[in-house]
Amino acid sequence: MKTLNDLFNHQIKDLYSAETQLLSALPKMAKNANNKKLIKAFENHLKETKEQKSKLETICRELNISPSGAKCHAMKGLIKEAKIFMNAVEDNEVMDAGLIAEAQRIEHYEISGYGTAVRYAKELGLRQVAENLQEILNEEYNADHTLNEIAENRVNRKALEQIK
């Protein structure tokens, strides 16, 4: 990579890989969840993730970027951690609290990646691409907010009851 444009292209490929990997992880997280609101949040984010992947494909076509060829090792590691967690937990309430934590780690990674991509797109004068990426970034913030609300309103308190 020699230019900001090269770095931007790499970021887009990385995000595409991350979203692709997440498409296989979210159904497993939903299956392991017990709280109805949490299950719904995972199902909703799966739909959003499919749309986000499609938006990234459109951006790649517009910019003549091949979305394949990059592997997001960070997302691979985050998903691996979530799988290890899901295999280690025996209590339903603790499972839900931990799934929220795992999902928020993923959301925070995506927020960081999309935030960077938006800035690069703006600097490169790609106004429409920046707007499309900002829409995705807003969805990631909303997903994180939803997970916070679920945790604070019910799940963390129920997990705490397990130690009393």
Side-chain angles (χ1 to χ4, degrees):
M1 288 178 263
K2 294 181 181 180
T3 67
L4 183 61
N5 192 60
D6 293 341
L7 182 56
F8 175 70
N9 290 350
H10 173 74
Q11 292 291 319
I12 295 298
K13 288 181 176 193
D14 189 74
L15 289 166
Y16 182 81
S17 172
E19 297 294 5
T20 301
Q21 292 177 60
L22 195 52
L23 287 174
S24 64
L26 282 169
K28 293 172 188 163
M29 294 172 86
K31 183 180 176 187
N32 280 278
N34 301 284
N35 178 284
K36 288 183 172 112
K37 289 182 180 179
L38 182 57
I39 293 167
K40 185 72 174 162
F42 284 139
E43 290 170 348
N44 288 342
H45 199 56
L46 177 62
K47 290 175 193 169
E48 278 184 342
T49 300
K50 289 176 183 176
E51 293 169 10
Q52 291 166 352
K53 183 181 175 208
S54 178
K55 287 179 184 178
L56 287 171
E57 288 168 349
T58 300
I59 289 169
C60 286
R61 273 192 306 277
E62 290 171 0
L63 300 177
N64 200 25
I65 301 170
S66 171
S68 59
K71 178 77 167 186
C72 181
H73 297 287
M75 183 61 75
K76 182 178 179 181
L78 291 167
I79 291 170
K80 182 179 179 181
E81 288 290 326
K83 287 178 184 176
I84 291 168
F85 167 77
M86 288 184 282
N87 289 329
V89 176
E90 297 176 13
D91 179 81
N92 289 347
E93 306 304 334
V94 173
M95 175 67 78
D96 286 348
L99 281 171
I100 290 171
E102 298 297 332
Q104 285 190 294
R105 284 185 187 94
I106 290 169
E107 289 308 316
H108 294 174
Y109 176 77
E110 289 182 303
I111 288 166
S112 173
Y114 282 108
T116 298
V118 168
R119 278 192 308 282
Y120 290 169
K122 287 178 180 177
E123 289 177 32
L124 292 166
L126 304 170
R127 189 183 57 76
Q128 187 59 52
V129 170
E131 288 177 14
N132 291 337
L133 291 169
Q134 184 66 52
E135 286 176 18
I136 298 173
L137 178 59
N138 292 344
E139 291 169 354
E140 300 300 354
Y141 277 123
N142 290 338
D144 184 54
H145 180 74
T146 297
L147 291 168
N148 264 336
E149 285 185 338
I150 294 168
E152 291 171 0
N153 291 334
R154 191 81 180 130
V155 171
N156 286 352
R157 276 185 262 144
K158 280 188 147 189
L160 249 177
E161 291 170 7
Q162 300 308 103
I163 61 171
K164 290 181 181 177

PDB file of all heavy atoms in Angstrom, residues 96-125:
ATOM      1  N   ASP A  96     -26.480 -15.525  28.211  1.00  0.00           N
ATOM      2  CA  ASP A  96     -27.003 -14.307  27.594  1.00  0.00           C
ATOM      3  C   ASP A  96     -26.117 -13.094  27.897  1.00  0.00           C
ATOM      4  O   ASP A  96     -25.811 -12.307  27.002  1.00  0.00           O
ATOM      5  CB  ASP A  96     -28.440 -14.038  28.059  1.00  0.00           C
ATOM      6  CG  ASP A  96     -29.447 -14.982  27.417  1.00  0.00           C
ATOM      7  OD1 ASP A  96     -29.087 -15.686  26.452  1.00  0.00           O
ATOM      8  OD2 ASP A  96     -30.600 -14.999  27.872  1.00  0.00           O
ATOM      9  N   ALA A  97     -25.703 -12.960  29.150  1.00  0.00           N
ATOM     10  CA  ALA A  97     -24.841 -11.830  29.516  1.00  0.00           C
ATOM     11  C   ALA A  97     -23.527 -11.895  28.742  1.00  0.00           C
ATOM     12  O   ALA A  97     -23.035 -10.880  28.222  1.00  0.00           O
ATOM     13  CB  ALA A  97     -24.585 -11.823  31.023  1.00  0.00           C
ATOM     14  N   GLY A  98     -22.964 -13.074  28.637  1.00  0.00           N
ATOM     15  CA  GLY A  98     -21.706 -13.236  27.914  1.00  0.00           C
ATOM     16  C   GLY A  98     -21.861 -13.050  26.414  1.00  0.00           C
ATOM     17  O   GLY A  98     -20.960 -12.506  25.760  1.00  0.00           O
ATOM     18  N   LEU A  99     -22.974 -13.499  25.864  1.00  0.00           N
ATOM     19  CA  LEU A  99     -23.221 -13.297  24.429  1.00  0.00           C
ATOM     20  C   LEU A  99     -23.299 -11.810  24.093  1.00  0.00           C
ATOM     21  O   LEU A  99     -22.812 -11.378  23.044  1.00  0.00           O
ATOM     22  CB  LEU A  99     -24.507 -14.002  23.986  1.00  0.00           C
ATOM     23  CG  LEU A  99     -24.406 -15.506  23.759  1.00  0.00           C
ATOM     24  CD1 LEU A  99     -25.794 -16.107  23.541  1.00  0.00           C
ATOM     25  CD2 LEU A  99     -23.490 -15.826  22.586  1.00  0.00           C
ATOM     26  N   ILE A 100     -23.903 -11.051  24.992  1.00  0.00           N
ATOM     27  CA  ILE A 100     -23.958  -9.602  24.773  1.00  0.00           C
ATOM     28  C   ILE A 100     -22.544  -9.045  24.764  1.00  0.00           C
ATOM     29  O   ILE A 100     -22.189  -8.236  23.889  1.00  0.00           O
ATOM     30  CB  ILE A 100     -24.838  -8.917  25.833  1.00  0.00           C
ATOM     31  CG1 ILE A 100     -26.308  -9.282  25.590  1.00  0.00           C
ATOM     32  CG2 ILE A 100     -24.635  -7.405  25.810  1.00  0.00           C
ATOM     33  CD1 ILE A 100     -27.248  -8.849  26.691  1.00  0.00           C
ATOM     34  N   ALA A 101     -21.723  -9.468  25.701  1.00  0.00           N
ATOM     35  CA  ALA A 101     -20.334  -8.982  25.749  1.00  0.00           C
ATOM     36  C   ALA A 101     -19.579  -9.350  24.475  1.00  0.00           C
ATOM     37  O   ALA A 101     -18.873  -8.513  23.893  1.00  0.00           O
ATOM     38  CB  ALA A 101     -19.621  -9.551  26.975  1.00  0.00           C
ATOM     39  N   GLU A 102     -19.740 -10.578  24.030  1.00  0.00           N
ATOM     40  CA  GLU A 102     -19.062 -11.022  22.805  1.00  0.00           C
ATOM     41  C   GLU A 102     -19.562 -10.225  21.599  1.00  0.00           C
ATOM     42  O   GLU A 102     -18.776  -9.795  20.756  1.00  0.00           O
ATOM     43  CB  GLU A 102     -19.282 -12.524  22.579  1.00  0.00           C
ATOM     44  CG  GLU A 102     -18.730 -13.431  23.666  1.00  0.00           C
ATOM     45  CD  GLU A 102     -17.225 -13.387  23.829  1.00  0.00           C
ATOM     46  OE1 GLU A 102     -16.508 -13.093  22.843  1.00  0.00           O
ATOM     47  OE2 GLU A 102     -16.756 -13.641  24.949  1.00  0.00           O
ATOM     48  N   ALA A 103     -20.869 -10.029  21.522  1.00  0.00           N
ATOM     49  CA  ALA A 103     -21.448  -9.288  20.397  1.00  0.00           C
ATOM     50  C   ALA A 103     -20.997  -7.829  20.418  1.00  0.00           C
ATOM     51  O   ALA A 103     -20.740  -7.236  19.358  1.00  0.00           O
ATOM     52  CB  ALA A 103     -22.975  -9.380  20.425  1.00  0.00           C
ATOM     53  N   GLN A 104     -20.879  -7.256  21.602  1.00  0.00           N
ATOM     54  CA  GLN A 104     -20.439  -5.864  21.675  1.00  0.00           C
ATOM     55  C   GLN A 104     -18.974  -5.714  21.264  1.00  0.00           C
ATOM     56  O   GLN A 104     -18.607  -4.711  20.656  1.00  0.00           O
ATOM     57  CB  GLN A 104     -20.691  -5.276  23.063  1.00  0.00           C
ATOM     58  CG  GLN A 104     -22.172  -4.987  23.259  1.00  0.00           C
ATOM     59  CD  GLN A 104     -22.437  -4.188  24.495  1.00  0.00           C
ATOM     60  OE1 GLN A 104     -22.224  -4.669  25.603  1.00  0.00           O
ATOM     61  NE2 GLN A 104     -22.914  -2.975  24.315  1.00  0.00           N
ATOM     62  N   ARG A 105     -18.145  -6.706  21.561  1.00  0.00           N
ATOM     63  CA  ARG A 105     -16.768  -6.656  21.063  1.00  0.00           C
ATOM     64  C   ARG A 105     -16.770  -6.602  19.534  1.00  0.00           C
ATOM     65  O   ARG A 105     -16.008  -5.851  18.931  1.00  0.00           O
ATOM     66  CB  ARG A 105     -15.985  -7.876  21.542  1.00  0.00           C
ATOM     67  CG  ARG A 105     -15.569  -7.806  22.975  1.00  0.00           C
ATOM     68  CD  ARG A 105     -14.691  -9.004  23.365  1.00  0.00           C
ATOM     69  NE  ARG A 105     -14.463  -8.986  24.780  1.00  0.00           N
ATOM     70  CZ  ARG A 105     -15.192  -9.644  25.680  1.00  0.00           C
ATOM     71  NH1 ARG A 105     -16.202 -10.387  25.303  1.00  0.00           N
ATOM     72  NH2 ARG A 105     -14.913  -9.558  26.956  1.00  0.00           N
ATOM     73  N   ILE A 106     -17.623  -7.406  18.937  1.00  0.00           N
ATOM     74  CA  ILE A 106     -17.735  -7.425  17.475  1.00  0.00           C
ATOM     75  C   ILE A 106     -18.249  -6.081  16.973  1.00  0.00           C
ATOM     76  O   ILE A 106     -17.710  -5.520  16.018  1.00  0.00           O
ATOM     77  CB  ILE A 106     -18.651  -8.592  17.031  1.00  0.00           C
ATOM     78  CG1 ILE A 106     -17.940  -9.926  17.274  1.00  0.00           C
ATOM     79  CG2 ILE A 106     -19.070  -8.437  15.575  1.00  0.00           C
ATOM     80  CD1 ILE A 106     -18.821 -11.158  17.138  1.00  0.00           C
ATOM     81  N   GLU A 107     -19.278  -5.550  17.613  1.00  0.00           N
ATOM     82  CA  GLU A 107     -19.832  -4.256  17.202  1.00  0.00           C
ATOM     83  C   GLU A 107     -18.777  -3.153  17.305  1.00  0.00           C
ATOM     84  O   GLU A 107     -18.663  -2.313  16.421  1.00  0.00           O
ATOM     85  CB  GLU A 107     -21.051  -3.877  18.045  1.00  0.00           C
ATOM     86  CG  GLU A 107     -22.278  -4.709  17.773  1.00  0.00           C
ATOM     87  CD  GLU A 107     -22.657  -4.772  16.318  1.00  0.00           C
ATOM     88  OE1 GLU A 107     -22.630  -3.737  15.624  1.00  0.00           O
ATOM     89  OE2 GLU A 107     -22.950  -5.874  15.845  1.00  0.00           O
ATOM     90  N   HIS A 108     -18.015  -3.159  18.375  1.00  0.00           N
ATOM     91  CA  HIS A 108     -17.006  -2.119  18.557  1.00  0.00           C
ATOM     92  C   HIS A 108     -15.918  -2.212  17.487  1.00  0.00           C
ATOM     93  O   HIS A 108     -15.422  -1.183  17.018  1.00  0.00           O
ATOM     94  CB  HIS A 108     -16.420  -2.178  19.962  1.00  0.00           C
ATOM     95  CG  HIS A 108     -17.418  -1.840  21.017  1.00  0.00           C
ATOM     96  ND1 HIS A 108     -17.148  -1.934  22.353  1.00  0.00           N
ATOM     97  CD2 HIS A 108     -18.705  -1.402  20.926  1.00  0.00           C
ATOM     98  CE1 HIS A 108     -18.220  -1.571  23.043  1.00  0.00           C
ATOM     99  NE2 HIS A 108     -19.177  -1.255  22.197  1.00  0.00           N
ATOM    100  N   TYR A 109     -15.588  -3.418  17.084  1.00  0.00           N
ATOM    101  CA  TYR A 109     -14.629  -3.583  15.978  1.00  0.00           C
ATOM    102  C   TYR A 109     -15.216  -2.999  14.694  1.00  0.00           C
ATOM    103  O   TYR A 109     -14.541  -2.267  13.968  1.00  0.00           O
ATOM    104  CB  TYR A 109     -14.270  -5.060  15.783  1.00  0.00           C
ATOM    105  CG  TYR A 109     -13.369  -5.236  14.591  1.00  0.00           C
ATOM    106  CD1 TYR A 109     -12.014  -4.911  14.666  1.00  0.00           C
ATOM    107  CD2 TYR A 109     -13.868  -5.677  13.364  1.00  0.00           C
ATOM    108  CE1 TYR A 109     -11.189  -5.025  13.570  1.00  0.00           C
ATOM    109  CE2 TYR A 109     -13.049  -5.790  12.263  1.00  0.00           C
ATOM    110  CZ  TYR A 109     -11.711  -5.469  12.370  1.00  0.00           C
ATOM    111  OH  TYR A 109     -10.898  -5.572  11.273  1.00  0.00           O
ATOM    112  N   GLU A 110     -16.480  -3.313  14.434  1.00  0.00           N
ATOM    113  CA  GLU A 110     -17.124  -2.810  13.221  1.00  0.00           C
ATOM    114  C   GLU A 110     -17.251  -1.283  13.264  1.00  0.00           C
ATOM    115  O   GLU A 110     -17.030  -0.606  12.255  1.00  0.00           O
ATOM    116  CB  GLU A 110     -18.505  -3.443  13.040  1.00  0.00           C
ATOM    117  CG  GLU A 110     -18.434  -4.903  12.661  1.00  0.00           C
ATOM    118  CD  GLU A 110     -19.812  -5.491  12.447  1.00  0.00           C
ATOM    119  OE1 GLU A 110     -20.650  -5.420  13.377  1.00  0.00           O
ATOM    120  OE2 GLU A 110     -20.068  -5.997  11.347  1.00  0.00           O
ATOM    121  N   ILE A 111     -17.599  -0.742  14.412  1.00  0.00           N
ATOM    122  CA  ILE A 111     -17.708   0.713  14.556  1.00  0.00           C
ATOM    123  C   ILE A 111     -16.367   1.362  14.238  1.00  0.00           C
ATOM    124  O   ILE A 111     -16.301   2.356  13.502  1.00  0.00           O
ATOM    125  CB  ILE A 111     -18.209   1.086  15.976  1.00  0.00           C
ATOM    126  CG1 ILE A 111     -19.702   0.728  16.112  1.00  0.00           C
ATOM    127  CG2 ILE A 111     -17.961   2.558  16.283  1.00  0.00           C
ATOM    128  CD1 ILE A 111     -20.228   0.743  17.545  1.00  0.00           C
ATOM    129  N   SER A 112     -15.312   0.810  14.743  1.00  0.00           N
ATOM    130  CA  SER A 112     -13.976   1.340  14.468  1.00  0.00           C
ATOM    131  C   SER A 112     -13.661   1.270  12.976  1.00  0.00           C
ATOM    132  O   SER A 112     -13.178   2.242  12.385  1.00  0.00           O
ATOM    133  CB  SER A 112     -12.943   0.543  15.271  1.00  0.00           C
ATOM    134  OG  SER A 112     -11.641   0.914  14.916  1.00  0.00           O
ATOM    135  N   GLY A 113     -13.924   0.132  12.373  1.00  0.00           N
ATOM    136  CA  GLY A 113     -13.628  -0.051  10.952  1.00  0.00           C
ATOM    137  C   GLY A 113     -14.437   0.854  10.050  1.00  0.00           C
ATOM    138  O   GLY A 113     -13.886   1.497   9.134  1.00  0.00           O
ATOM    139  N   TYR A 114     -15.729   0.947  10.311  1.00  0.00           N
ATOM    140  CA  TYR A 114     -16.573   1.812   9.479  1.00  0.00           C
ATOM    141  C   TYR A 114     -16.271   3.285   9.716  1.00  0.00           C
ATOM    142  O   TYR A 114     -16.298   4.091   8.791  1.00  0.00           O
ATOM    143  CB  TYR A 114     -18.060   1.508   9.683  1.00  0.00           C
ATOM    144  CG  TYR A 114     -18.483   0.271   8.932  1.00  0.00           C
ATOM    145  CD1 TYR A 114     -18.769  -0.910   9.596  1.00  0.00           C
ATOM    146  CD2 TYR A 114     -18.579   0.280   7.543  1.00  0.00           C
ATOM    147  CE1 TYR A 114     -19.136  -2.052   8.907  1.00  0.00           C
ATOM    148  CE2 TYR A 114     -18.939  -0.854   6.843  1.00  0.00           C
ATOM    149  CZ  TYR A 114     -19.221  -2.024   7.535  1.00  0.00           C
ATOM    150  OH  TYR A 114     -19.567  -3.149   6.837  1.00  0.00           O
ATOM    151  N   GLY A 115     -15.966   3.644  10.951  1.00  0.00           N
ATOM    152  CA  GLY A 115     -15.610   5.035  11.240  1.00  0.00           C
ATOM    153  C   GLY A 115     -14.368   5.448  10.455  1.00  0.00           C
ATOM    154  O   GLY A 115     -14.319   6.540   9.871  1.00  0.00           O
ATOM    155  N   THR A 116     -13.382   4.575  10.428  1.00  0.00           N
ATOM    156  CA  THR A 116     -12.160   4.838   9.662  1.00  0.00           C
ATOM    157  C   THR A 116     -12.470   4.934   8.172  1.00  0.00           C
ATOM    158  O   THR A 116     -12.003   5.846   7.484  1.00  0.00           O
ATOM    159  CB  THR A 116     -11.124   3.736   9.930  1.00  0.00           C
ATOM    160  OG1 THR A 116     -10.787   3.751  11.321  1.00  0.00           O
ATOM    161  CG2 THR A 116      -9.869   3.935   9.100  1.00  0.00           C
ATOM    162  N   ALA A 117     -13.263   4.004   7.665  1.00  0.00           N
ATOM    163  CA  ALA A 117     -13.591   3.993   6.231  1.00  0.00           C
ATOM    164  C   ALA A 117     -14.358   5.257   5.829  1.00  0.00           C
ATOM    165  O   ALA A 117     -14.124   5.805   4.742  1.00  0.00           O
ATOM    166  CB  ALA A 117     -14.394   2.740   5.882  1.00  0.00           C
ATOM    167  N   VAL A 118     -15.251   5.720   6.680  1.00  0.00           N
ATOM    168  CA  VAL A 118     -15.993   6.966   6.387  1.00  0.00           C
ATOM    169  C   VAL A 118     -15.014   8.129   6.261  1.00  0.00           C
ATOM    170  O   VAL A 118     -15.094   8.922   5.305  1.00  0.00           O
ATOM    171  CB  VAL A 118     -17.059   7.262   7.478  1.00  0.00           C
ATOM    172  CG1 VAL A 118     -17.610   8.680   7.345  1.00  0.00           C
ATOM    173  CG2 VAL A 118     -18.194   6.247   7.412  1.00  0.00           C
ATOM    174  N   ARG A 119     -14.095   8.234   7.213  1.00  0.00           N
ATOM    175  CA  ARG A 119     -13.109   9.335   7.170  1.00  0.00           C
ATOM    176  C   ARG A 119     -12.270   9.271   5.899  1.00  0.00           C
ATOM    177  O   ARG A 119     -12.044  10.284   5.247  1.00  0.00           O
ATOM    178  CB  ARG A 119     -12.208   9.296   8.402  1.00  0.00           C
ATOM    179  CG  ARG A 119     -12.835   9.939   9.620  1.00  0.00           C
ATOM    180  CD  ARG A 119     -11.840  10.147  10.739  1.00  0.00           C
ATOM    181  NE  ARG A 119     -11.088   8.958  11.107  1.00  0.00           N
ATOM    182  CZ  ARG A 119     -11.545   7.964  11.861  1.00  0.00           C
ATOM    183  NH1 ARG A 119     -12.774   8.024  12.335  1.00  0.00           N
ATOM    184  NH2 ARG A 119     -10.790   6.933  12.163  1.00  0.00           N
ATOM    185  N   TYR A 120     -11.795   8.077   5.562  1.00  0.00           N
ATOM    186  CA  TYR A 120     -10.979   7.936   4.348  1.00  0.00           C
ATOM    187  C   TYR A 120     -11.781   8.312   3.107  1.00  0.00           C
ATOM    188  O   TYR A 120     -11.273   9.004   2.230  1.00  0.00           O
ATOM    189  CB  TYR A 120     -10.451   6.512   4.199  1.00  0.00           C
ATOM    190  CG  TYR A 120      -9.400   6.095   5.198  1.00  0.00           C
ATOM    191  CD1 TYR A 120      -9.030   4.762   5.295  1.00  0.00           C
ATOM    192  CD2 TYR A 120      -8.779   7.001   6.050  1.00  0.00           C
ATOM    193  CE1 TYR A 120      -8.064   4.347   6.199  1.00  0.00           C
ATOM    194  CE2 TYR A 120      -7.822   6.589   6.969  1.00  0.00           C
ATOM    195  CZ  TYR A 120      -7.468   5.255   7.032  1.00  0.00           C
ATOM    196  OH  TYR A 120      -6.512   4.847   7.934  1.00  0.00           O
ATOM    197  N   ALA A 121     -13.022   7.843   3.030  1.00  0.00           N
ATOM    198  CA  ALA A 121     -13.859   8.152   1.857  1.00  0.00           C
ATOM    199  C   ALA A 121     -14.039   9.659   1.713  1.00  0.00           C
ATOM    200  O   ALA A 121     -13.953  10.202   0.603  1.00  0.00           O
ATOM    201  CB  ALA A 121     -15.207   7.445   1.957  1.00  0.00           C
ATOM    202  N   LYS A 122     -14.268  10.341   2.815  1.00  0.00           N
ATOM    203  CA  LYS A 122     -14.420  11.796   2.770  1.00  0.00           C
ATOM    204  C   LYS A 122     -13.130  12.457   2.290  1.00  0.00           C
ATOM    205  O   LYS A 122     -13.173  13.363   1.453  1.00  0.00           O
ATOM    206  CB  LYS A 122     -14.818  12.335   4.145  1.00  0.00           C
ATOM    207  CG  LYS A 122     -16.248  12.038   4.527  1.00  0.00           C
ATOM    208  CD  LYS A 122     -16.558  12.564   5.919  1.00  0.00           C
ATOM    209  CE  LYS A 122     -17.998  12.278   6.313  1.00  0.00           C
ATOM    210  NZ  LYS A 122     -18.288  12.732   7.686  1.00  0.00           N
ATOM    211  N   GLU A 123     -12.016  12.009   2.831  1.00  0.00           N
ATOM    212  CA  GLU A 123     -10.733  12.594   2.441  1.00  0.00           C
ATOM    213  C   GLU A 123     -10.429  12.355   0.967  1.00  0.00           C
ATOM    214  O   GLU A 123      -9.770  13.179   0.324  1.00  0.00           O
ATOM    215  CB  GLU A 123      -9.611  12.035   3.319  1.00  0.00           C
ATOM    216  CG  GLU A 123      -9.665  12.548   4.745  1.00  0.00           C
ATOM    217  CD  GLU A 123      -8.593  11.940   5.632  1.00  0.00           C
ATOM    218  OE1 GLU A 123      -7.499  11.637   5.127  1.00  0.00           O
ATOM    219  OE2 GLU A 123      -8.868  11.768   6.824  1.00  0.00           O
ATOM    220  N   LEU A 124     -10.914  11.239   0.432  1.00  0.00           N
ATOM    221  CA  LEU A 124     -10.686  10.910  -0.974  1.00  0.00           C
ATOM    222  C   LEU A 124     -11.726  11.551  -1.896  1.00  0.00           C
ATOM    223  O   LEU A 124     -11.681  11.355  -3.103  1.00  0.00           O
ATOM    224  CB  LEU A 124     -10.675   9.384  -1.164  1.00  0.00           C
ATOM    225  CG  LEU A 124      -9.483   8.657  -0.534  1.00  0.00           C
ATOM    226  CD1 LEU A 124      -9.741   7.163  -0.469  1.00  0.00           C
ATOM    227  CD2 LEU A 124      -8.203   8.961  -1.307  1.00  0.00           C
ATOM    228  N   GLY A 125     -12.662  12.296  -1.311  1.00  0.00           N
ATOM    229  CA  GLY A 125     -13.681  12.974  -2.116  1.00  0.00           C
ATOM    230  C   GLY A 125     -14.787  12.054  -2.602  1.00  0.00           C
ATOM    231  O   GLY A 125     -15.499  12.382  -3.556  1.00  0.00           O
TER     232      GLY A 125
END
